[in-house]
Amino acid sequence: METPSLSVAGTDGSVQADIFSGLTVALALVPEAVAFSFVAGISPIIGLYGAFMMCLITAVLGGRPGMISGATGAMAVVMVNLVLEGNALGGPGSHAGLNYLFCTLLLVGVFQVLAGVFHLGKFIRMVPRSVMMGFVNGLAIVIFLSQLKMFQSGGAWLQGPSLWTMAGLVVLTMAILTVVPKVSAKAPGALIAIIAVSLLVVFTQIDTQTVLSFIQSNGGTGIKAGLPSFAIPSVPFTMETVVFITPYALILAAIGLIESLMTLSLIDELTETRGSGNRECMAQGIANFVNGLFGGMGGCAMIGQSMINVTSGGRGRLSGIVAAGALLFFILFTSQYIEQIPIAALVGVMFIVVIKTFAWSTFNIMNKIPKWDVLVIVLVTVLTVRYDLAVAVLCGVVVSALTFAWKNAARIRVESKVDTHGIKHYTIHGPLFFASTSLFLRQFSVQDDPEEVIIDFQESRIMDQSAIEAINTVAEKYHRVGKSIHLWHLSTDCVRLVKRAQKICVVNVLADPDYFVGIDNYRLYKEHLEFESL
């Protein structure tokens, strides 16, 4: 299967590139953090604090240099219900929902750190290529649709001169961002485009929506604030609280890790380097835990901002540190200038990200790959757009796993013959596991077979407990009718698990295979290791 259309491997990172890309990301983080804050029903400052802390901590401690974390929409849509229900628990007119959010983030951090400690990050390797392509395409569409909302004012679409002005500035930003890299590959195209369009709007006094007007239209006042302060979430520490926040914490932790690990995998592929999924899990957990103590919104890896960073040349941890530092600097000292940036400039940057993120090669390979892979790509894309990333990826992995099991189940086949001594030989071909046991059991004619039967597993492999039970079932059927059965070429651990093994299993240490059956039995696993060490 072809890779997504974007490829930035071979683009060398540098301190200069990290600094410029970090500044670009910081500018783009502002409206995103503000927008997701409103989605969650909290103050924009909380979203900006969350973006700052997530970006800084994961940049320093994370497993994927160059990846950007911050407040995200996937987690915000879960947080809105958490905040509302928390307010309801606090009573009429209460703002307890915010404290419940911070307390939940503490638990989210614990769950995510535990995921890293127990090496659950490695399960990202189980995500098939078709799911990855669906994920990329779905997120590109989600980013595109989220930017279309910027063409609205008061819930209504812009019209007339306002629409044309907005569209013109977006196109101008995209044009600058396309031309600058062709003139100088090292020039920070996104940063130059944002600054150029901002200066044009300020000096020509073009009437268009800015960061400040966007915040005010959603009920905010601006982005100026002080440093985040330490505070223990003020919630009753009771079993009722634990029961209330735990389901939300599990959902937020799962969504955050899935989106972060998928983004990590994508950046790995684009840069032809390898990050550490387990380290990223722990960094995400620490960042969310700190958010809970310092009044931030929390979050996870951001595909859009990560793509901006990578395509702008950001490769090292410095890019994320600069982005976080610049964002805090904006909040503390230069909010009046950042608030003047036209929304159109940031939308233009995001549209370029959409174009580079979408796997356009999908259309070229539709007729070249198995139909099930096409189905998975479309399914994950649609579910990402319609619901959220976690649901889409889980469904994609499940469908891919079932498809794999179905295909491999059909590979089981049995050859039979009777030798000159009147002994019937069954030779098993293909893997024997839970999905192929039914077909396997139908291959034997117990009543019609001679008095002695040999089943040869040299061309097969026993995969799980279902396969062992199927072998036991066949052996019992022959035993009940008084016929002798011999099993050839089973691995050592298979022999241990087969009933009456000492009577029916023919052991040949030199010829028998040596592998371990995938069952949940630690004692047998230890015995297997001890046997290998002899």
Side-chain angles (χ1 to χ4, degrees):
M1 187 181 292
E2 297 182 27
T3 57
S5 57
L6 177 61
S7 177
V8 292
T11 304
D12 295 328
S14 65
V15 172
Q16 179 182 342
D18 280 349
I19 292 175
F20 283 135
S21 62
L23 291 173
T24 304
V25 168
L27 293 173
L29 275 173
V30 174
E32 294 260 327
V34 170
F36 295 143
S37 299
F38 290 127
V39 170
I42 58 180
S43 168
I45 298 302
I46 295 174
L48 290 169
Y49 282 161
F52 158 66
M53 287 183 277
M54 291 299 302
C55 188
L56 178 63
I57 294 173
T58 56
V60 175
L61 303 176
R64 173 67 265 179
M67 191 167 77
I68 303 297
S69 295
T72 61
M75 297 182 71
V77 295
V78 178
M79 292 176 181
V80 62
N81 292 324
L82 168 60
V83 173
L84 289 175
E85 291 187 31
N87 288 333
L89 286 177
S94 169
H95 297 286
L98 203 54
N99 281 298
Y100 278 107
L101 171 61
F102 297 150
C103 189
T104 302
L105 288 176
L106 297 178
L107 195 54
V108 169
V110 172
F111 287 150
Q112 291 182 328
V113 168
L114 289 175
V117 170
F118 289 105
H119 301 285
L120 300 185
K122 63 186 178 183
F123 287 106
I124 194 64
R125 303 172 193 166
M126 295 177 61
V127 177
R129 178 56 142 194
S130 53
V131 174
M132 177 63 76
M133 292 191 76
F135 156 77
V136 169
N137 294 343
L139 277 180
I141 295 172
V142 169
I143 294 171
F144 175 75
L145 294 176
S146 69
Q147 298 308 302
L148 288 183
K149 295 179 182 178
M150 301 299 181
F151 287 84
Q152 296 179 348
S153 179
W157 290 98
L158 297 176
Q159 296 181 351
S162 298
L163 175 60
W164 291 111
T165 300
M166 180 78 169
L169 292 174
V170 169
V171 172
L172 176 61
T173 303
M174 295 175 68
I176 295 173
L177 193 50
T178 302
V179 172
V180 168
K182 295 181 179 179
V183 176
S184 175
K186 295 185 177 181
L191 186 59
I192 291 173
I194 292 172
I195 293 174
V197 174
S198 299
L199 292 175
L200 175 66
V201 169
V202 170
F203 286 110
T204 60
Q205 296 184 341
I206 296 176
D207 184 18
T208 187
Q209 190 177 38
T210 63
V211 171
L212 178 60
S213 63
F214 173 75
I215 295 174
Q216 291 175 338
S217 66
N218 285 278
T221 57
I223 66 170
K224 185 174 179 59
L227 290 169
S229 56
F230 175 84
I232 301 295
S234 179
V235 298
F237 291 97
T238 62
M239 184 56 65
E240 182 183 3
T241 298
V242 174
V243 171
F244 171 63
I245 67 173
T246 299
Y248 281 109
L250 287 170
I251 294 171
L252 289 170
I255 291 174
L257 290 183
I258 290 173
E259 185 160 354
S260 298
L261 293 174
M262 291 291 285
T263 303
L264 180 146
S265 182
L266 176 63
I267 301 301
D268 279 357
E269 181 180 328
L270 297 178
T271 59
E272 295 184 0
T273 56
R274 184 175 179 180
S276 171
N278 295 318
R279 181 172 176 176
E280 186 63 34
C281 290
M282 289 188 280
Q284 292 287 332
I286 294 171
N288 277 302
F289 193 89
V290 171
N291 267 265
L293 294 176
F294 285 87
M297 179 181 171
C300 61
M302 306 179 73
I303 178 66
Q305 309 307 326
S306 298
M307 292 297 293
I308 290 177
N309 190 45
V310 171
T311 56
S312 298
R315 292 291 185 279
R317 299 185 184 277
L318 180 61
S319 58
I321 295 172
V322 169
L327 180 59
L328 182 62
F329 186 81
F330 296 158
I331 296 171
L332 297 176
F333 305 111
T334 62
S335 59
Q336 68 272 27
Y337 301 114
I338 301 303
E339 290 169 351
Q340 296 181 46
I341 295 176
I343 289 294
L346 301 173
V347 172
V349 172
M350 294 306 293
F351 277 173
I352 291 295
V353 168
V354 168
I355 293 172
K356 292 185 175 182
T357 300
F358 194 90
W360 299 100
S361 59
T362 303
F363 300 110
N364 296 328
I365 63 175
M366 284 292 189
N367 297 325
K368 303 176 183 177
I369 61 176
K371 61 181 180 180
W372 286 109
D373 285 335
V374 175
L375 173 64
V376 170
I377 292 173
V378 174
L379 176 66
V380 174
T381 300
V382 172
L383 291 178
T384 299
V385 176
R386 180 64 181 85
Y387 297 101
D388 60 61
L389 172 65
V391 172
V393 172
L394 288 174
C395 289
V397 170
V398 168
V399 171
S400 297
L402 291 176
T403 302
F404 176 81
W406 178 267
K407 290 180 178 178
N408 278 275
R411 291 175 57 191
I412 192 80
R413 61 187 180 86
V414 178
E415 294 180 354
S416 61
K417 65 177 182 179
V418 178
D419 63 19
T420 55
H421 300 287
I423 301 173
K424 190 168 186 178
H425 294 255
Y426 286 97
T427 303
I428 314 300
H429 296 266
L432 183 57
F433 64 112
F434 68 92
S436 60
T437 53
S438 296
L439 184 59
F440 169 78
L441 291 172
R442 293 200 299 266
Q443 305 302 311
F444 301 94
S445 304
V446 178
Q447 298 297 332
D448 300 330
D449 282 348
E451 294 300 315
E452 193 167 359
V453 173
I454 293 175
I455 304 178
D456 190 349
F457 290 91
Q458 186 169 14
E459 302 299 327
S460 180
R461 186 181 179 103
I462 311 305
M463 306 297 290
D464 58 12
Q465 181 66 31
S466 297
I468 292 293
E469 289 302 320
I471 295 173
N472 282 328
T473 299
V474 172
E476 287 296 328
K477 286 181 178 180
Y478 280 104
H479 178 72
R480 281 198 299 267
V481 296
K483 297 181 180 180
S484 300
I485 180 174
H486 305 282
L487 307 180
W488 285 6
H489 297 110
L490 286 176
S491 68
T492 306
D493 61 300
C494 288
V495 173
R496 289 196 184 103
L497 296 171
V498 173
K499 296 176 182 177
R500 310 177 196 279
Q502 68 276 14
K503 295 181 179 180
I504 65 176
C505 293
V506 179
V507 177
N508 185 326
V509 176
L510 296 179
D512 287 350
D514 184 20
Y515 58 82
F516 184 69
V517 180
I519 62 172
D520 186 15
N521 192 319
Y522 183 67
R523 180 183 60 79
L524 288 173
Y525 178 65
K526 288 181 65 177
E527 290 180 3
H528 174 73
L529 294 180
E530 292 170 359
F531 179 83
E532 284 188 331
S533 64
L534 295 177

